[in-house]
Coordinates of all heavy atoms in Angstrom, one line a residue:
R86 N 12.8 140.6 -23.4 CA 12.1 139.5 -22.7 C 12.1 139.8 -21.2 O 13.0 140.6 -20.7 CB 12.7 138.2 -23.0 CG 12.6 137.7 -24.4 CD 11.2 137.0 -24.6 NE 11.0 136.6 -26.0 CZ 11.3 135.4 -26.4 NH1 11.9 134.5 -25.6 NH2 11.1 135.0 -27.7
A87 N 11.2 139.3 -20.5 CA 11.1 139.5 -19.0 C 12.4 139.1 -18.4 O 13.0 138.1 -18.7 CB 10.0 138.7 -18.4
E88 N 12.8 139.9 -17.4 CA 14.1 139.6 -16.7 C 14.2 138.2 -16.1 O 15.2 137.5 -16.2 CB 14.3 140.6 -15.6 CG 15.7 140.5 -14.9 CD 15.9 141.5 -13.8 OE1 15.1 142.5 -13.7 OE2 16.8 141.3 -13.0
A89 N 13.1 137.7 -15.5 CA 13.1 136.4 -14.9 C 13.2 135.3 -15.9 O 14.0 134.3 -15.7 CB 11.7 136.2 -14.1
E90 N 12.6 135.5 -17.1 CA 12.7 134.5 -18.1 C 14.2 134.4 -18.7 O 14.7 133.3 -18.8 CB 11.8 134.8 -19.3 CG 11.9 133.8 -20.4 CD 11.1 134.2 -21.7 OE1 10.4 135.2 -21.6 OE2 11.2 133.5 -22.7
M91 N 14.8 135.6 -18.9 CA 16.2 135.6 -19.4 C 17.2 135.1 -18.4 O 18.1 134.4 -18.7 CB 16.5 137.0 -19.9 CG 15.9 137.4 -21.2 SD 16.3 136.4 -22.6 CE 14.9 135.3 -22.7
R92 N 16.9 135.4 -17.1 CA 17.8 134.8 -16.0 C 17.7 133.3 -16.0 O 18.7 132.6 -15.9 CB 17.4 135.4 -14.7 CG 18.3 135.0 -13.5 CD 18.1 135.8 -12.3 NE 16.7 135.6 -11.8 CZ 15.8 136.6 -11.8 NH1 16.1 137.8 -12.3 NH2 14.6 136.4 -11.3
F93 N 16.5 132.8 -16.1 CA 16.3 131.3 -16.2 C 17.0 130.7 -17.4 O 17.7 129.7 -17.3 CB 14.8 131.0 -16.2 CG 14.5 129.5 -16.2 CD1 14.3 128.8 -15.1 CD2 14.5 128.8 -17.4 CE1 14.1 127.5 -15.1 CE2 14.2 127.4 -17.5 CZ 14.0 126.8 -16.3
L94 N 16.9 131.4 -18.5 CA 17.5 130.9 -19.8 C 19.0 130.9 -19.6 O 19.7 129.9 -20.0 CB 17.1 131.7 -21.0 CG 17.7 131.3 -22.3 CD1 17.2 129.9 -22.7 CD2 17.2 132.3 -23.4
M95 N 19.6 131.9 -19.1 CA 21.0 132.0 -18.9 C 21.6 131.1 -17.8 O 22.5 130.3 -18.1 CB 21.5 133.5 -18.6 CG 21.2 134.5 -19.7 SD 22.1 134.1 -21.2 CE 20.7 133.6 -22.3
E96 N 20.9 131.1 -16.7 CA 21.5 130.3 -15.5 C 21.1 128.8 -15.7 O 22.0 128.0 -15.6 CB 20.9 130.9 -14.2 CG 21.4 132.3 -13.9 CD 20.7 132.8 -12.6 OE1 19.9 132.1 -12.0 OE2 21.1 133.9 -12.2
E97 N 19.8 128.5 -15.9 CA 19.4 127.1 -15.9 C 19.8 126.4 -17.2 O 20.2 125.3 -17.2 CB 17.9 127.0 -15.6 CG 17.5 127.5 -14.3 CD 18.0 126.7 -13.1 OE1 18.2 125.4 -13.3 OE2 18.3 127.2 -12.1
V98 N 19.6 127.1 -18.3 CA 19.7 126.4 -19.6 C 21.2 126.5 -20.1 O 21.8 125.5 -20.3 CB 18.8 127.0 -20.7 CG1 19.0 126.4 -22.0 CG2 17.3 126.8 -20.2
V99 N 21.7 127.7 -20.2 CA 23.1 127.8 -20.7 C 24.1 127.3 -19.7 O 25.0 126.4 -20.0 CB 23.4 129.3 -21.0 CG1 24.9 129.4 -21.5 CG2 22.5 129.8 -22.1
E100 N 24.1 127.7 -18.4 CA 25.1 127.4 -17.5 C 25.0 126.0 -17.0 O 26.0 125.3 -16.8 CB 25.1 128.3 -16.3 CG 25.4 129.8 -16.6 CD 25.2 130.7 -15.4 OE1 25.4 130.3 -14.3 OE2 24.8 131.9 -15.7
R101 N 23.8 125.5 -16.8 CA 23.6 124.2 -16.1 C 23.2 123.0 -17.1 O 23.2 121.9 -16.6 CB 22.6 124.3 -15.0 CG 23.0 125.3 -13.9 CD 22.0 125.4 -12.8 NE 22.4 126.6 -12.0 CZ 21.7 127.0 -10.9 NH1 20.5 126.4 -10.6 NH2 22.1 128.0 -10.2
I102 N 22.9 123.3 -18.3 CA 22.5 122.3 -19.2 C 23.4 122.3 -20.4 O 24.2 121.3 -20.7 CB 21.0 122.4 -19.7 CG1 20.1 122.3 -18.5 CG2 20.7 121.4 -20.7 CD1 18.6 122.5 -18.8
V103 N 23.4 123.4 -21.2 CA 24.2 123.4 -22.5 C 25.7 123.3 -22.2 O 26.3 122.4 -22.8 CB 23.8 124.7 -23.2 CG1 24.8 124.9 -24.5 CG2 22.4 124.7 -23.7
V104 N 26.2 124.1 -21.4 CA 27.7 124.1 -21.1 C 28.1 122.7 -20.6 O 29.1 122.1 -21.1 CB 28.1 125.3 -20.2 CG1 29.5 125.1 -19.8 CG2 28.0 126.6 -21.0
P105 N 27.5 122.2 -19.5 CA 28.0 120.9 -19.0 C 27.9 119.8 -20.0 O 28.8 119.0 -20.2 CB 27.1 120.6 -17.8 CG 26.7 122.0 -17.4 CD 26.5 122.8 -18.6
R106 N 26.9 119.8 -20.8 CA 26.7 118.7 -21.8 C 27.7 118.8 -22.9 O 28.2 117.8 -23.5 CB 25.3 118.7 -22.3 CG 24.3 118.2 -21.2 CD 22.9 117.9 -21.7 NE 22.1 117.5 -20.6 CZ 20.9 117.0 -20.7 NH1 20.4 116.8 -21.9 NH2 20.2 116.6 -19.6
A107 N 28.0 120.1 -23.3 CA 29.0 120.3 -24.4 C 30.4 119.8 -23.8 O 31.2 119.2 -24.5 CB 29.1 121.7 -24.8
V108 N 30.7 120.2 -22.6 CA 32.0 119.8 -22.0 C 32.1 118.3 -21.9 O 33.2 117.7 -22.2 CB 32.2 120.6 -20.7 CG1 33.5 120.0 -20.0 CG2 32.4 122.1 -20.9
D109 N 31.1 117.7 -21.4 CA 31.1 116.3 -21.1 C 31.0 115.4 -22.4 O 31.2 114.2 -22.3 CB 29.9 115.9 -20.2 CG 30.1 116.5 -18.8 OD1 31.3 116.9 -18.5 OD2 29.1 116.5 -18.0
S110 N 30.7 116.0 -23.5 CA 30.5 115.2 -24.7 C 31.7 114.6 -25.2 O 31.7 113.6 -26.0 CB 29.9 116.2 -25.8 OG 30.9 117.1 -26.2
A111 N 32.9 115.1 -24.9 CA 34.2 114.5 -25.2 C 34.7 114.8 -26.7 O 35.8 114.9 -27.0 CB 34.3 113.0 -25.0
R112 N 33.7 114.9 -27.6 CA 34.0 115.1 -29.0 C 33.8 116.5 -29.5 O 34.4 116.9 -30.5 CB 33.2 114.2 -29.9 CG 33.4 112.7 -29.7 CD 34.7 112.2 -30.2 NE 34.9 112.4 -31.6 CZ 34.4 111.6 -32.5 NH1 33.7 110.5 -32.2 NH2 34.7 111.8 -33.8
W113 N 33.1 117.4 -28.7 CA 32.6 118.7 -29.3 C 33.4 119.8 -28.6 O 33.5 119.9 -27.4 CB 31.1 118.9 -29.0 CG 30.3 118.0 -29.8 CD1 29.9 116.7 -29.6 CD2 29.7 118.4 -31.1 NE1 29.1 116.2 -30.6 CE2 28.9 117.2 -31.5 CE3 29.7 119.5 -31.9 CZ2 28.2 117.2 -32.7 CZ3 28.9 119.5 -33.0 CH2 28.2 118.4 -33.5
Q114 N 34.0 120.7 -29.5 CA 34.6 121.9 -29.1 C 33.6 123.0 -29.1 O 32.8 123.1 -30.0 CB 35.8 122.2 -30.0 CG 36.5 123.5 -29.7 CD 37.7 123.7 -30.5 OE1 38.2 122.8 -31.3 NE2 38.3 124.9 -30.5
T115 N 33.6 123.8 -28.0 CA 32.6 124.9 -27.9 C 33.2 126.2 -28.4 O 34.3 126.6 -28.1 CB 32.2 125.0 -26.4 OG1 31.8 123.8 -25.9 CG2 31.1 126.1 -26.2
H116 N 32.4 126.9 -29.1 CA 32.7 128.3 -29.6 C 31.5 129.2 -29.2 O 30.3 128.7 -29.1 CB 32.9 128.4 -31.1 CG 33.8 127.4 -31.6 ND1 35.2 127.6 -31.7 CD2 33.7 126.1 -32.1 CE1 35.8 126.5 -32.2 NE2 34.9 125.6 -32.4
V117 N 31.7 130.5 -29.0 CA 30.7 131.4 -28.7 C 30.6 132.5 -29.7 O 31.6 133.0 -30.1 CB 30.9 132.0 -27.3 CG1 29.8 133.0 -26.9 CG2 31.0 130.9 -26.2
A118 N 29.4 132.8 -30.2 CA 29.2 133.9 -31.1 C 28.2 134.9 -30.6 O 27.1 134.5 -30.2 CB 28.7 133.4 -32.5
G119 N 28.5 136.1 -30.4 CA 27.6 137.1 -29.9 C 28.3 138.1 -29.0 O 29.6 138.1 -28.9
R120 N 27.6 139.1 -28.5 CA 28.1 140.1 -27.7 C 28.1 139.6 -26.2 O 27.1 139.8 -25.5 CB 27.3 141.4 -27.8 CG 27.6 142.1 -29.2 CD 27.1 143.5 -29.2 NE 27.8 144.3 -30.2 CZ 27.5 145.6 -30.5 NH1 26.5 146.2 -29.8 NH2 28.1 146.2 -31.5
V121 N 29.2 139.0 -25.8 CA 29.2 138.3 -24.5 C 29.2 139.4 -23.4 O 28.8 139.1 -22.3 CB 30.5 137.5 -24.3 CG1 30.4 136.3 -25.3 CG2 31.8 138.2 -24.6
D122 N 29.5 140.6 -23.7 CA 29.4 141.7 -22.7 C 27.9 141.9 -22.3 O 27.7 142.5 -21.2 CB 30.0 143.0 -23.2 CG 29.3 143.5 -24.5 OD1 29.4 142.8 -25.5 OD2 28.7 144.6 -24.5
L123 N 27.0 141.5 -23.1 CA 25.5 141.6 -22.7 C 25.1 140.5 -21.7 O 24.0 140.6 -21.1 CB 24.7 141.5 -23.9 CG 24.9 142.6 -25.0 CD1 24.0 142.3 -26.2 CD2 24.7 144.0 -24.5
L124 N 25.9 139.5 -21.5 CA 25.5 138.3 -20.7 C 25.8 138.6 -19.2 O 26.8 139.3 -18.9 CB 26.2 137.1 -21.2 CG 26.1 136.8 -22.7 CD1 26.9 135.5 -23.0 CD2 24.6 136.6 -23.1
P125 N 25.1 137.9 -18.3 CA 25.5 137.9 -16.9 C 26.9 137.4 -16.7 O 27.3 136.5 -17.5 CB 24.4 137.0 -16.3 CG 23.3 137.0 -17.2 CD 23.9 137.1 -18.6
G126 N 27.6 137.9 -15.7 CA 28.9 137.5 -15.5 C 29.1 136.0 -15.4 O 30.1 135.4 -15.9
T127 N 28.2 135.3 -14.7 CA 28.4 133.9 -14.5 C 28.2 133.1 -15.8 O 28.9 132.1 -16.0 CB 27.3 133.3 -13.4 OG1 26.0 133.7 -13.8 CG2 27.6 133.9 -12.0
T128 N 27.3 133.6 -16.6 CA 27.1 132.9 -17.9 C 28.3 133.1 -18.8 O 28.8 132.2 -19.5 CB 25.8 133.5 -18.6 OG1 24.7 133.4 -17.7 CG2 25.6 132.8 -19.9
R129 N 28.8 134.3 -18.8 CA 30.0 134.6 -19.6 C 31.2 133.7 -19.2 O 31.9 133.2 -20.0 CB 30.3 136.1 -19.5 CG 31.5 136.6 -20.4 CD 31.5 138.1 -20.4 NE 31.7 138.7 -19.2 CZ 30.8 139.4 -18.5 NH1 29.6 139.6 -19.0 NH2 31.1 140.0 -17.4
H130 N 31.3 133.6 -17.9 CA 32.4 132.8 -17.3 C 32.2 131.3 -17.7 O 33.2 130.7 -18.1 CB 32.5 133.0 -15.8 CG 33.5 132.1 -15.2 ND1 34.9 132.3 -15.3 CD2 33.4 131.0 -14.4 CE1 35.5 131.4 -14.6 NE2 34.6 130.5 -14.1
A131 N 31.0 130.8 -17.6 CA 30.7 129.4 -17.9 C 31.1 129.1 -19.4 O 31.7 128.1 -19.7 CB 29.3 129.1 -17.7
L132 N 30.7 130.1 -20.3 CA 31.0 129.9 -21.7 C 32.5 130.0 -22.0 O 33.0 129.2 -22.8 CB 30.2 130.9 -22.5 CG 28.7 130.7 -22.6 CD1 28.0 132.0 -23.2 CD2 28.4 129.5 -23.4
E133 N 33.2 130.9 -21.4 CA 34.6 131.0 -21.5 C 35.3 129.8 -21.1 O 36.3 129.3 -21.7 CB 35.1 132.3 -20.8 CG 34.7 133.6 -21.4 CD 35.0 134.8 -20.5 OE1 35.4 134.6 -19.3 OE2 34.9 135.9 -21.0
L134 N 34.9 129.2 -19.9 CA 35.5 128.0 -19.4 C 35.2 126.8 -20.3 O 36.1 126.0 -20.5 CB 34.8 127.7 -18.0 CG 35.6 126.7 -17.1 CD1 37.0 127.1 -16.8 CD2 34.8 126.5 -15.8
A135 N 34.0 126.8 -20.9 CA 33.7 125.7 -21.9 C 34.6 125.8 -23.1 O 35.1 124.8 -23.6 CB 32.2 125.8 -22.3
E136 N 34.9 127.0 -23.6 CA 35.8 127.1 -24.7 C 37.2 126.6 -24.4 O 37.8 126.0 -25.2 CB 35.8 128.6 -25.2 CG 34.6 129.1 -25.9 CD 34.7 130.5 -26.4 OE1 35.0 131.4 -25.6 OE2 34.5 130.7 -27.6
E137 N 37.6 127.0 -23.2 CA 39.0 126.6 -22.7 C 39.1 125.1 -22.5 O 40.1 124.4 -22.9 CB 39.3 127.3 -21.4 CG 40.7 127.0 -20.9 CD 41.8 127.4 -21.8 OE1 41.6 128.5 -22.5 OE2 42.9 126.7 -21.9
Q138 N 38.0 124.5 -22.0 CA 38.1 123.0 -21.6 C 37.9 122.1 -22.8 O 38.1 120.9 -22.7 CB 37.0 122.7 -20.5 CG 37.4 123.4 -19.2 CD 36.3 123.1 -18.2 OE1 35.1 122.9 -18.5 NE2 36.7 123.1 -16.9
T139 N 37.4 122.6 -23.9 CA 37.0 121.8 -25.0 C 37.9 122.0 -26.3 O 37.6 121.6 -27.4 CB 35.6 122.0 -25.4 OG1 35.3 123.3 -25.8 CG2 34.6 121.6 -24.3
R140 N 39.0 122.6 -26.1 CA 39.9 122.9 -27.2 C 40.4 121.6 -27.9 O 40.5 120.6 -27.2 CB 41.1 123.7 -26.8 CG 40.8 125.2 -26.3 CD 42.0 126.0 -26.1 NE 41.7 127.3 -25.5 CZ 41.3 128.3 -26.2 NH1 41.1 128.2 -27.5 NH2 41.0 129.5 -25.6
D141 N 40.7 121.7 -29.2 CA 41.3 120.6 -29.9 C 40.4 119.4 -30.1 O 40.9 118.3 -30.3 CB 42.6 120.2 -29.3 CG 43.6 121.4 -29.2 OD1 43.7 122.1 -30.2 OD2 44.3 121.5 -28.2
R142 N 39.1 119.6 -30.0 CA 38.2 118.5 -30.3 C 37.8 118.5 -31.8 O 37.9 119.6 -32.4 CB 37.0 118.5 -29.4 CG 37.4 118.3 -27.9 CD 36.2 118.3 -27.0 NE 36.5 118.1 -25.6 CZ 35.6 118.1 -24.6 NH1 34.3 118.2 -24.9 NH2 36.0 117.9 -23.4
D143 N 37.3 117.4 -32.3 CA 37.1 117.3 -33.8 C 35.7 117.7 -34.3 O 35.5 117.8 -35.5 CB 37.5 116.0 -34.3 CG 36.8 114.8 -33.5 OD1 36.1 115.1 -32.5 OD2 36.9 113.7 -34.0
F144 N 34.7 117.9 -33.3 CA 33.4 118.4 -33.7 C 33.2 119.8 -33.1 O 33.8 120.1 -32.0 CB 32.3 117.5 -33.3 CG 32.1 116.3 -34.1 CD1 33.0 115.2 -33.9 CD2 31.1 116.1 -35.0 CE1 32.9 114.0 -34.7 CE2 31.0 115.0 -35.8 CZ 31.9 113.9 -35.6
H145 N 32.5 120.7 -33.8 CA 32.4 122.1 -33.3 C 31.0 122.6 -33.1 O 30.2 122.6 -34.0 CB 33.1 123.0 -34.4 CG 34.5 122.6 -34.6 ND1 35.6 123.3 -34.0 CD2 35.1 121.7 -35.4 CE1 36.7 122.8 -34.4 NE2 36.5 121.8 -35.2
L146 N 30.7 122.9 -31.9 CA 29.4 123.5 -31.5 C 29.6 125.0 -31.2 O 30.4 125.4 -30.3 CB 28.9 122.8 -30.2 CG 27.7 123.5 -29.6 CD1 26.5 123.3 -30.5 CD2 27.4 122.9 -28.2
T147 N 28.9 125.8 -32.0 CA 28.9 127.3 -31.8 C 27.6 127.7 -31.2 O 26.5 127.4 -31.7 CB 29.2 128.0 -33.1 OG1 30.4 127.6 -33.7 CG2 29.2 129.5 -32.9
V148 N 27.7 128.3 -30.0 CA 26.5 128.8 -29.3 C 26.4 130.3 -29.6 O 27.2 131.1 -29.2 CB 26.7 128.6 -27.8 CG1 25.5 129.1 -27.0 CG2 26.9 127.1 -27.5
A149 N 25.3 130.6 -30.3 CA 25.0 132.1 -30.6 C 24.1 132.6 -29.5 O 22.9 132.2 -29.4 CB 24.4 132.2 -32.0

Side-chain angles (χ1 to χ4, degrees):
R86 293 279 179 89
E88 183 181 349
E90 180 188 352
M91 286 298 100
R92 184 169 61 249
F93 181 91
L94 182 60
M95 294 298 106
E96 294 178 357
E97 296 296 326
V98 177
V99 178
E100 297 175 31
R101 299 180 189 176
I102 297 176
V103 173
V104 167
R106 292 189 179 193
V108 171
D109 293 343
S110 66
R112 297 289 300 276
W113 289 84
Q114 181 174 346
T115 306
H116 309 272
V117 181
R120 288 193 160 178
V121 294
D122 57 297
L123 300 178
L124 306 179
T127 54
T128 305
R129 187 166 60 249
H130 176 71
L132 289 167
E133 290 170 351
L134 195 61
E136 286 185 305
E137 182 62 34
Q138 292 177 332
T139 61
R140 292 187 187 281
D141 302 320
R142 297 181 179 181
D143 53 349
F144 285 77
H145 299 267
L146 172 67
T147 300
V148 179

